[in-house]
Amino acid sequence: MVVKRTALSKDNRISIWSIGENGVSSMDDEFEGDPQLVCEYKHNGDVLDLQFLDQDRIVTASSTGAVTIFRHHHNSQTLSVSQLWERAHHYPCDNAPCTGVVCNSPEIVTVGEDGRIMLFRADQEGVLRTIEKADSSAIHAVTFLRTTEILTVNSIGQLKLWDFRQPGNEPSQILSLSGDRVPLHCVDRHPNQQHIVATGGQDGMLCIWDMRQGNMPFSLMEAHTSEMWEVHFHPSNPDHLFSCSEDGSLLHWESSSNSDTPSFLQGGRNTSIISRSAIAPAGGNQSLINAWLTGDSSKGHLETTHMLPSQMLSVNSLDVLGQCLVCGTDGEAIYVNRHVPI
Amino acid sequence: MEEVDVEPTTTPIPGFDSNQKHLGFVWGPGDILVYETIYKASGGSAGGCPFVHEVRKDEDIYSPILRKLFNESHHIFVGLQRIREDLPSKNKKPQFVSISKNYRSVIRACMEELQQVAVSTQDAALATQYGNQVSILLAVELIWNLCEVLFIDAAPAGSLVLHLLDWVRLHKADVDEKAREVLASESPAEHQAYWDVVISYVLQGRMDEARQVLVKQATLQPAARAMFKLLDNLLMKMPIFNPGETQTLTEFDVKWRHWREEVDRCLQDQSFASNPHLEDICKILVGDEDVLLEHKELLSTWYHFLVTRLLFSHPTVKPTELHYYAQSSMHMFLDTRSVPEPLDSILLAAFEFDIHQVIKDCSIALNNWWFVGHLTDLLDHCKLLQSHNLHFGSNLREFLLLEYASGLFTHHSLWQLAVDYFDHCPEFGRVYLELQIERVPLDTERKALKVIRICEQRQMTEQVRSICKIMAKKALRNNRLGSALSWSIRAKDAAFATLISERFLQDYCAKGTFSDLDLIDNLGPAMLLSDRLTFLGKYREFHRLYGEKRFSDAAKLLLSLMTAKIAPRSFWMTLLTDALPLLEQKEVIFSADQTHELMFCLEELTSEKSVPNPDRPMQDEDIETTKIELLRLALARNLAMAIVKEGTVEV
């Protein structure tokens, strides 16, 4: 049974769904059978982000500022609350939504609109560390760069690097796109090469950053016509990137470093993208150049495919594992694609 | 005063004693708030119970299964609006029919799911509620299907009866169940429901199935084989109009009359006298109404009776003649004393092709506008509604869609669907949207961003401003100056940006350091939004330059802040005080001219303060005067050094 995570933003319940056998590949039909609801549990406030902590536990970030760990009991197929930090994020007068959560078991890092970064440990009551006033504006997303370093993006378009080994409340590095201070909404790190980071923001542009150098993004690509809510590298095949947006589209980006044209992707429609590379790659160590960091567009090749039919409401969240892609929309629908060509 | 069509329903408020207290109320977008009070003609009203009750008419939008109906139909609705106007109408009809079928399949899917849940749930009250919803949806689909047949598909004579037959068959599914039961039994011909099944099939015009079941009886009674063969023959030969063939209506009519005469002859010949069941069937085939009425329980509804009657008496009925048969069927079938149910009058109105009456009756009978809104919209696209202008200017379609969408807007997540509906109401949609969108609760930044995005796409700048202002004020209340500034920049709200910059500067004066440096340092072109903001950015730059020991640049900047009047007067003292360390440096930083200008600024400042303020305590006065004296001294010394430096000629 494959269990997928879903981020049901507006529905105040957290649910686990099963989408059937992974091995059945006889039919060509992309959407075989409906996902079955396995169990669900009431959730206080909108679920703004969630992530699996380990096989049994899921951490959620709530719009009330709470961080909750749910435990999924496989035997009885039920969910229960295992741990709760009620006011992890808060203002002096109001609640502050917790906007992002990322786990590196057993540590959990959360960020919120109050500009705080909180570090928790599962099974420990209190807070491990708080970075107060980490940001003067709302922090929208967080991801691990290395085991002790995290990256956050905020609503004034800055990508900040934090090192937990250092005391104090200052980031180690601040990167931003100069000029327009476009809010950034999502960030993800390349699974194998830790210096490559992708971000997406309010203007729907996909930025690829090289953390080793410069304050500017490495390349900017026009992706969507409105806010990009989530971006993910494929965990096992990182030449593939997925992004989803308020304009109702979900794009599948495939980069290849050889000059042969990639095999024609099934379904959807191909769009040509405009790639603006900001800087040429650093000299030396040419063999480690990644497809994403290819400055010269004739050397690399980038294909994008729309994964969903048009006329959709905003796609708020997506996740990908193996050949399976899941996304959720504002039309209160979840789409599952089990045969993503990678 | 308009007369009321139906008696309004009363809803009791719990815990309310109508003898002693009055009820105060106020309308909301989809509900009423009521509270207990005692109203006096003069003087204040006395309070009572501290509760406020919310009375809501439409519970359906909160039902988790029905929500699918709203989401899916929204998708279909948007698709319908985008059908291109310039296609010729004969190409559009199949599209409209398919859209109508889409709507209906969505209703059916919901119905099935509700049915499943109703059966499986343990809670009795919930089961009844679901059961009610299922029956409402059944009725809704029945009406929609009939409207599709009569109005959208607009079948002509000949095909009309066939479509109506399909309609009846779809809504009387228990025949197949019974048939399965009978055929599965050991001896089908002796099953008690056997003849019911055969006759039901005949009544629905399903001759092949009837024949198949009859065969079971025929094999049991070899003696009467000739009789069964005869009936089988008649059933087989019954002419069915085929619109695809080249056969015209009159040809079909002739054929049908021939066949009917043949059946009649068999009846007259007493060929089926020995078997009353077979004789009944034969009489049905001839269209004998008394026999039809004998099988009321099998027909179960007057419209089934109508269609069967038409099938066997007037298969070439024209749409315009329908209403006559409909009325007579209803009267014949129903008990004359019983009051017709709302569903019956709606169907009758449909048979009379009175679309407006159908819509009106449905609006009254159902508790939300979903059905009438979507149906009217579809009919309007088929150009079937006359432009029936209502009193307040908009037409019927728009009125219903506006009502539906307004109801959706109160829901915490379905409001996004409503936006599309408003978009497609040309006259008042925009106004409604402007009013409603400002009232969406903004608990998270993400929701606010979605709302703003919707407003920006429609050039609703006022609403964008107001939403950004709400978010900025919220941030300000929580002392999140950076967030507040971000929002005012988004709204291009210069006044608010000025306010926030003032707060920053006040904080600086109080604490001596800037908060939120990461924001101020990175203002970029947004700095130009307001003068105060520009000053803030530049002042911070001054501090940065000073920190980097770029003193001459810092000095130039400082001076320009005062001379270009970017700095507010109130801040000049602070700026001059900041200049002190620069003046005290060993190296001459300010040139003679610059020093002159500084002195000029100082004089301007002090001349205003020449009148001593009685309210200010003596201590402050002292500090002020000391500061000014220090400045004067420093400026004078600097001037001296500058003159000397500039006058020196390098040898």
Side-chain angles (χ1 to χ4, degrees):
Chain A
M1 180 165 74
V2 173
V3 172
K4 292 304 298 174
R5 70 117 156 174
T6 57
L8 296 169
S9 279
K10 301 294 179 187
D11 206 331
N12 295 346
R13 266 174 288 158
I14 167 172
S15 324
I16 295 189
W17 300 72
S18 155
I19 56 166
E21 296 298 307
N22 213 3
V24 177
S25 55
S26 48
M27 290 180 264
D28 275 88
D29 193 0
E30 287 186 343
F31 301 93
E32 333 167 347
D34 288 337
Q36 299 299 320
L37 180 62
V38 170
C39 49
E40 60 183 12
Y41 199 88
K42 248 182 104 55
H43 186 268
N44 208 10
D46 298 340
V47 177
L48 292 178
D49 197 7
L50 68 84
Q51 192 156 75
F52 272 97
L53 179 62
D54 52 29
Q55 274 278 36
D56 303 317
R57 288 180 295 180
I58 306 160
V59 191
T60 64
S62 163
S63 64
T64 59
V67 177
T68 325
I69 301 185
F70 288 91
R71 186 179 284 277
H72 175 220
H73 304 276
H74 289 280
N75 305 345
S76 56
Q77 292 299 354
T78 50
L79 278 172
S80 62
V81 177
S82 157
Q83 216 170 342
L84 170 66
W85 290 280
E86 188 97 45
R87 275 171 64 84
H89 292 274
H90 57 275
Y91 291 132
C93 318
D94 295 321
N95 285 336
C98 174
T99 49
V101 67
V102 72
C103 312
N104 190 3
S105 189
E107 290 183 346
I108 302 168
V109 179
T110 67
V111 290
E113 282 184 16
D114 56 351
R116 270 194 198 92
I117 301 177
M118 310 284 284
L119 178 61
F120 300 100
R121 188 179 226 112
D123 303 325
Q124 253 182 30
E125 267 297 313
V127 182
L128 213 55
R129 182 159 167 198
T130 313
I131 301 182
E132 292 277 350
K133 297 198 196 306
D135 210 311
S136 59
S137 55
I139 306 179
H140 284 150
V142 64
T143 187
F144 271 103
L145 188 65
R146 280 171 251 275
T147 18
T148 51
E149 289 178 5
I150 56 167
L151 281 171
T152 60
V153 290
N154 64 12
S155 62
I156 47 177
Q158 293 171 327
L159 180 62
K160 292 187 183 175
L161 175 65
W162 304 86
D163 192 338
F164 283 126
R165 291 168 299 193
Q166 291 176 8
N169 291 346
E170 295 298 317
S172 325
Q173 211 182 343
I174 302 182
L175 297 89
S176 67
L177 207 57
S178 67
D180 299 328
R181 299 153 57 255
V182 173
L184 292 175
H185 288 295
C186 51
V187 63
D188 196 28
R189 191 206 75 194
H190 193 284
N192 306 332
Q193 311 209 310
Q194 291 178 340
H195 52 270
I196 299 176
V197 170
T199 61
Q202 188 176 289
D203 53 359
M205 300 266 267
L206 175 68
C207 302
I208 309 283
W209 305 72
D210 186 342
M211 297 301 294
R212 298 172 300 192
Q213 62 181 40
N215 289 352
M216 292 269 291
F218 188 82
S219 65
L220 296 157
M221 287 170 270
E222 280 178 21
H224 297 279
T225 52
S226 44
E227 286 93 344
M228 187 190 297
W229 293 123
E230 282 203 19
V231 67
H232 283 280
F233 280 99
H234 191 281
S236 42
N237 198 340
D239 281 341
H240 298 260
L241 182 74
F242 297 87
S243 63
C244 69
S245 156
E246 173 77 21
D247 67 5
S249 63
L250 201 164
L251 288 178
H252 170 194
W253 306 73
E254 184 182 345
S255 77
S256 49
S257 5
N258 49 349
S259 52
D260 300 337
T261 38
S263 58
F264 222 76
L265 300 167
Q266 293 171 4
R269 29 192 178 101
N270 286 332
T271 33
S272 58
I273 45 90
I274 306 166
S275 163
R276 279 191 276 141
S277 295
I279 341 161
N285 253 346
Q286 290 283 331
S287 55
L288 283 182
I289 284 192
N290 183 276
W292 292 107
L293 293 185
T294 317
D296 185 359
S297 50
S298 65
K299 277 213 202 94
H301 193 95
L302 200 57
E303 286 261 343
T304 32
T305 328
H306 281 261
M307 301 291 296
L308 291 174
S310 56
Q311 285 179 36
M312 301 246 75
L313 288 181
S314 159
V315 183
N316 291 322
S317 166
L318 73 93
D319 200 10
V320 63
L321 184 71
Q323 276 204 313
C324 192
L325 174 72
V326 171
C327 65
T329 72
D330 264 344
E332 303 187 350
I334 300 173
Y335 289 84
V336 178
N337 185 338
R338 266 179 271 197
H339 300 285
V340 178
I342 43 163
Chain B
M1 170 83 156
E2 298 283 336
E3 50 176 51
V4 184
D5 295 300
V6 286
E7 279 304 309
T9 50
T10 36
T11 314
I13 310 283
F16 176 66
D17 182 6
S18 56
N19 293 331
Q20 295 184 356
K21 299 278 177 68
H22 299 145
L23 206 60
F25 72 96
V26 68
W27 283 105
D31 42 22
I32 312 176
L33 292 176
V34 298
Y35 57 95
E36 269 183 31
T37 184
I38 297 179
Y39 180 74
K40 294 193 194 117
S42 62
S45 50
C49 170
F51 293 123
V52 173
H53 302 272
E54 186 187 346
V55 181
R56 195 160 45 201
K57 189 177 171 216
D58 176 19
E59 279 287 306
D60 288 342
I61 47 176
Y62 295 96
S63 155
I65 298 174
L66 281 183
R67 273 162 74 164
K68 282 201 207 127
L69 184 69
F70 299 126
N71 276 302
E72 297 279 322
S73 54
H74 161 259
H75 196 72
I76 303 173
F77 173 84
V78 170
L80 172 59
Q81 308 308 311
R82 295 196 185 152
I83 288 182
R84 290 181 39 208
E85 279 299 318
D86 49 358
L87 282 177
S89 46
K90 68 171 154 65
N91 290 351
K92 284 203 220 165
K93 187 164 100 156
Q95 262 186 319
F96 290 142
V97 172
S98 103
I99 288 178
S100 175
K101 289 191 157 70
N102 278 346
Y103 274 122
R104 279 176 38 221
S105 67
V106 167
I107 301 176
R108 298 216 124 211
C110 256
M111 208 156 60
E112 275 165 23
E113 209 178 316
L114 273 175
Q115 184 69 12
Q116 268 180 0
V117 183
V119 162
S120 63
T121 185
Q122 312 276 0
D123 185 352
L126 214 54
T128 356
Q129 190 190 19
Y130 285 141
N132 286 343
Q133 282 173 341
V134 170
S135 31
I136 291 179
L137 282 181
L138 262 171
V140 158
E141 208 256 322
L142 181 74
I143 301 169
W144 192 305
N145 200 347
L146 184 60
C147 290
E148 181 187 311
V149 167
L150 295 176
F151 305 142
I152 302 174
D153 216 352
S159 333
L160 181 58
V161 168
L162 294 177
H163 286 212
L164 285 175
L165 262 182
D166 282 334
W167 173 65
V168 161
R169 285 174 196 166
L170 200 56
H171 292 96
K172 191 123 182 46
D174 58 352
V175 176
D176 289 303
E177 244 182 79
K178 247 196 269 181
R180 265 195 298 270
E181 202 188 301
V182 165
L183 290 173
S185 72
E186 279 188 19
S187 172
E190 281 161 12
H191 197 287
Q192 63 175 36
Y194 175 79
W195 285 110
D196 284 344
V197 167
V198 177
I199 295 185
S200 299
Y201 275 140
V202 172
L203 289 173
Q204 284 193 2
R206 291 157 81 169
M207 303 312 181
D208 292 330
E209 280 120 318
R211 287 167 57 213
Q212 278 173 7
V213 180
L214 261 182
V215 154
K216 306 268 187 241
Q217 186 74 15
T219 46
L220 268 189
Q221 300 183 19
R225 192 192 275 185
M227 200 165 54
F228 277 95
K229 193 107 191 353
L230 180 60
L231 185 60
D232 188 75
N233 205 3
L234 287 176
L235 287 174
M236 187 178 69
K237 284 203 291 190
M238 175 172 178
I240 304 285
F241 181 70
N242 190 339
E245 273 182 19
T246 49
Q247 177 193 61
T248 66
L249 198 62
T250 21
E251 282 171 11
F252 166 75
D253 197 35
V254 164
K255 249 180 112 175
W256 180 76
R257 279 180 202 285
H258 273 297
W259 172 84
R260 195 160 184 267
E261 274 166 21
E262 201 183 325
V263 180
D264 209 21
R265 249 176 298 145
C266 290
L267 259 185
Q268 305 297 339
D269 287 347
Q270 305 278 322
S271 323
F272 299 108
S274 49
N275 191 325
H277 293 288
L278 295 184
E279 195 167 36
D280 266 355
I281 295 176
C282 200
K283 287 194 181 155
I284 291 172
L285 290 181
V286 160
D288 187 332
E289 282 162 12
D290 298 318
V291 175
L292 284 177
L293 284 171
E294 276 173 28
H295 294 284
K296 251 194 195 177
E297 342 76 56
L298 290 180
L299 287 171
S300 75
T301 53
W302 64 270
Y303 40 92
H304 191 335
F305 172 59
L306 162 69
V307 174
T308 310
R309 219 179 127 201
L310 290 173
L311 175 66
F312 294 119
S313 314
H314 314 274
T316 55
V317 67
K318 293 205 265 288
T320 43
E321 296 165 352
L322 258 188
H323 71 98
Y324 165 69
Y325 294 112
Q327 272 184 335
S328 54
S329 302
M330 198 163 94
H331 286 140
M332 280 194 263
F333 193 89
L334 291 178
D335 202 350
T336 42
R337 282 163 299 160
S338 64
V339 178
E341 300 214 338
L343 179 61
D344 296 327
S345 27
I346 294 171
L347 291 175
L348 193 59
F351 283 122
E352 291 170 359
F353 283 82
D354 188 351
I355 299 183
H356 287 281
Q357 189 65 30
V358 171
I359 294 172
K360 184 172 165 196
D361 286 343
C362 287
S363 312
I364 296 172
L366 297 168
N367 67 348
N368 75 24
W369 302 97
W370 179 85
F371 172 58
V372 284
H374 287 90
L375 182 62
T376 314
D377 172 61
L378 184 56
L379 293 175
D380 188 63
H381 271 89
C382 302
K383 307 264 189 286
L384 290 168
L385 290 179
Q386 304 152 321
S387 60
H388 189 116
N389 270 330
L390 301 170
H391 297 304
F392 31 88
S394 68
N395 62 18
L396 184 64
R397 167 191 171 268
E398 187 160 317
F399 171 72
L400 293 172
L401 284 179
L402 288 172
E403 289 292 316
Y404 171 64
S406 307
L408 274 187
F409 233 99
T410 57
H411 193 272
H412 62 87
S413 86
L414 291 176
W415 61 270
Q416 287 181 292
L417 307 177
V419 172
D420 279 315
Y421 286 100
F422 282 136
D423 279 344
H424 291 106
C425 291
E427 228 173 298
F428 289 120
R430 196 189 161 87
V431 176
Y432 269 68
L433 184 59
E434 282 174 6
L435 288 173
Q436 296 268 21
I437 199 107
E438 282 185 328
R439 285 156 176 79
V440 176
L442 304 168
D443 350 297
T444 62
E445 271 205 8
R446 189 180 266 219
K447 201 161 179 192
L449 288 171
K450 282 185 194 264
V451 175
I452 290 175
R453 171 70 55 181
I454 289 172
C455 294
E456 279 177 352
Q457 278 173 346
R458 291 157 182 76
Q459 282 94 41
M460 294 181 177
T461 41
E462 267 310 304
Q463 279 69 30
V464 172
R465 265 180 155 212
S466 116
I467 290 165
C468 288
K469 195 148 206 169
I470 294 172
M471 296 305 288
K473 286 221 89 147
K474 232 161 112 176
L476 209 57
R477 188 168 71 138
N478 290 303
N479 220 21
R480 304 277 305 151
L481 294 179
S483 249
L485 194 56
S486 226
W487 283 109
S488 19
I489 290 173
R490 173 96 190 245
K492 302 199 191 356
D493 191 345
F496 214 72
T498 309
L499 194 76
I500 298 170
S501 315
E502 283 284 349
R503 279 279 288 268
F504 269 114
L505 293 168
Q506 277 168 18
D507 270 358
Y508 170 76
C509 290
K511 291 186 219 150
T513 52
F514 281 108
S515 58
D516 305 328
L517 279 177
D518 56 349
L519 173 66
I520 307 174
D521 280 344
N522 292 297
L523 280 174
M527 210 194 304
L528 301 171
L529 181 62
S530 113
D531 284 344
R532 202 52 51 86
L533 193 57
T534 319
F535 169 63
L536 181 65
K538 292 284 176 198
Y539 189 49
R540 168 66 199 147
E541 205 183 316
F542 163 71
H543 277 270
R544 254 217 326 263
L545 290 171
Y546 190 91
E548 289 168 15
K549 304 218 190 294
R550 289 161 59 184
F551 294 129
S552 47
D553 291 329
K556 252 197 286 232
L557 183 56
L558 186 63
L559 197 55
S560 68
L561 284 178
M562 281 193 281
T563 49
K565 308 266 191 266
I566 300 178
R569 236 357 132 73
S570 51
F571 222 74
W572 278 17
M573 204 58 218
T574 322
L575 287 176
L576 287 169
T577 324
D578 284 332
L580 257 177
L582 288 173
L583 293 167
E584 301 282 318
Q585 296 273 347
K586 278 216 196 79
E587 219 186 294
V588 172
I589 299 170
F590 285 102
S591 72
D593 289 327
Q594 286 177 329
T595 320
H596 272 125
E597 289 195 37
L598 277 176
M599 291 167 109
F600 182 64
C601 292
L602 183 58
E603 288 314 307
E604 256 194 78
L605 207 60
T606 46
S607 63
E608 284 175 7
K609 290 188 187 169
S610 54
V611 180
N613 194 337
D615 291 330
R616 289 182 72 195
M618 283 308 293
Q619 240 184 341
D620 278 352
E621 289 284 348
D622 280 343
I623 294 176
E624 276 299 305
T625 11
T626 328
K627 258 203 257 181
I628 295 174
E629 287 189 2
L630 271 173
L631 268 170
R632 286 224 178 90
L633 184 59
L635 282 167
R637 279 218 286 259
N638 193 52
L639 186 58
M641 286 188 351
I643 293 174
V644 167
K645 178 177 170 208
E646 281 162 27
T648 313
V649 175
E650 294 286 327
V651 175

